[in-house]
Amino acid sequence: MGGDGPRGVVTIGRRAIAALYFADALSMAELDNAATSPTLLPVGPKKDLAKDRTRRGEMLYNDGSMCFQQWQSCASCHPDGRVDGLNWDLLNDGMGNPKQTKNELYTQWTPPTMVTGIRKDMHECNRAGLIHIQFVTRPEEDVHCFDAYVTAMKPVPSPYLVNGQLSERAKRGETLFKKAKCADCHTTDSKGPNGEHLWTDRKAYDVGVGTGTEAGKKFDTPTLAEVWRTAPYLYDGRALTMEEVLTVANPKDAHGETSKLSPEEIKDLAEYVLSL
Ligand code: HEC
Ligand code: HEC
């Protein structure tokens, strides 16, 4: 259609019009005359990509042609910088130990990165993604563009909130979050530069979930921001719901003290965490 990032198409008679997200344009093609190039209709002023690292980063992040075999982009597994809900065996931490895709929200403020904390920060992690997943080496400037795109990500408010506030159930859960010792590691005072809640002490613990190659290993405490949209949970996605994280996936109270909570209290705590 004459530009990158088609996001929608409509046909009117024998004419097709596509919205090209990355070309900032509409593209108009005559269906009976495939030989002629489509006409591009600009939508707003043209962006200067040399000056706009965030926009260029978003384009590269979605560009499958950049990978060695030209079929996979970062967004293939991280749609909108978030998660596909699948386990992947990446080469960052060796082979035969698949992990779930992680949300990139706030990764710039929660070093180290990856489940095992194997990368010291976002920048190293973004560069490693190019080498170990896309199998390419790219200019350092491209990595800065990824950094800018990821850093510009804003959390989407949880649908569990009622008029932007915690529900009655979630309010009860907030008290339990401290009582069950969740806040020991998912600290309530860890904040980004503008007061963003990060919910992690940035330390690694063995919370009793590792099995097989990961048995007894420490994992980096993840942020709980936007956790409502990233099920399934834990490093291998074994917990389909938040309640499973707090019950079947925590039989020995190694991941917070949840075994003595009543079924209603588990629901309260789950709703609170899903509101973050
Ligand atoms: C094949 C799927 C896949 C692709 C493609 C992919 N990732 Fe990931 N990403 C993952 C998985 C799985 C993890 C978690 C792995 C782990 O923790 O060991 C992850 C974790 C991350 C993290 C760590 C977040 C944190 O806070 O710990 C960053 C940053 C990241 N990816 C960036 C990228 C970038 C940049 C690209 C493109 C160059 C990319 N990813 C491509 C699957 C993918
Ligand atoms: C000792 C530190 C510690 C305590 C206490 C703790 N957590 Fe965690 N939490 C972690 C670590 C480490 C992980 C990563 C485990 C994994 O990836 O499998 C984690 C993972 C999670 C996840 C999964 C996130 C995801 O995206 O998959 C949720 C949800 C969570 N914790 C909520 C809680 C709640 C609720 C409590 C209290 C009942 C709690 N945690 C207590 C350290 C802790």
Side-chain angles (χ1 to χ4, degrees), residues 5 161 178 276:
L161 295 172
K178 295 207 177 81
L276 302 177

Side-chain angles (χ1 to χ4, degrees), residues 181-182 185-186 205 209 219 222 233-235 242 246 255 258:
K181 306 246 170 21
C182 313
C185 309
H186 301 284
Y205 301 94
V209 293
F219 297 135
Y233 302 113
L234 301 174
Y235 77 92
M242 192 55 71
L246 305 172
H255 186 202
T258 52

Side-chain angles (χ1 to χ4, degrees), residues 29-260:
E30 306 300 331
L31 296 177
D32 293 328
N33 192 358
T36 53
S37 313
T39 314
L40 283 193
L41 310 166
V43 182
K46 192 112 195 86
K47 293 203 177 66
D48 184 353
L49 288 178
K51 287 199 191 118
D52 191 342
R53 275 181 166 171
T54 306
R55 180 67 166 170
R56 214 172 93 74
E58 185 180 15
M59 288 176 82
L60 293 173
Y61 200 90
N62 283 273
D63 188 349
S65 70
M66 205 176 69
C67 101
F68 174 59
Q69 291 173 319
Q70 309 207 327
W71 57 270
Q72 179 182 247
S73 72
C74 309
S76 300
C77 303
H78 299 278
D80 285 328
R82 269 71 180 198
V83 299
D84 57 1
L86 298 176
N87 286 345
W88 296 98
D89 195 5
L90 305 180
L91 295 181
N92 282 292
D93 58 349
M95 279 166 80
N97 49 2
K99 305 270 181 339
Q100 269 228 79
T101 308
K102 285 189 79 182
N103 193 347
E104 295 216 40
L105 180 72
Y106 294 161
T107 182
Q108 72 275 18
W109 296 321
T110 58
T113 54
M114 310 300 266
V115 170
T116 51
I118 196 160
R119 301 288 166 220
K120 91 173 159 41
D121 58 26
M122 167 188 71
H123 186 73
E124 292 298 317
C125 201
N126 285 343
R127 190 195 292 113
L130 283 165
I131 298 167
H132 295 293
I133 310 175
Q134 313 290 73
F135 299 111
V136 287
T137 36
R138 299 276 301 190
E140 189 65 7
E141 173 58 19
D142 287 2
V143 186
H144 286 300
C145 290
F146 282 145
D147 297 351
Y149 167 59
V150 170
T151 304
M153 282 169 57
K154 296 264 183 313
V156 175
S158 165
Y160 288 87
L161 295 172
V162 180
N163 300 325
Q165 306 290 321
L166 292 178
S167 68
E168 287 307 316
R169 187 182 277 289
K171 274 187 206 152
R172 292 195 297 273
E174 187 174 23
T175 321
L176 296 167
F177 193 75
K178 295 207 177 81
K179 192 178 151 202
K181 306 246 170 21
C182 313
D184 286 9
C185 309
H186 301 284
T187 38
T188 49
D189 57 356
S190 53
K191 302 246 174 88
N194 304 309
E196 299 88 347
H197 277 287
L198 303 178
W199 309 110
T200 167
D201 61 1
R202 305 181 180 89
K203 295 199 179 95
Y205 301 94
D206 173 7
V207 291
V209 293
T211 55
T213 53
E214 309 306 283
K217 277 203 191 152
K218 288 183 179 178
F219 297 135
D220 182 49
T221 305
T223 178
L224 299 179
E226 253 192 11
V227 83
W228 60 268
R229 68 186 299 198
T230 59
Y233 302 113
L234 301 174
Y235 77 92
D236 56 358
R238 78 184 63 172
L240 299 187
T241 62
M242 192 55 71
E243 288 177 30
E244 283 186 23
V245 174
L246 305 172
T247 54
V248 284
N250 188 28
K252 294 191 181 143
D253 278 348
H255 186 202
E257 292 177 7
T258 52
S259 65
K260 294 196 182 66

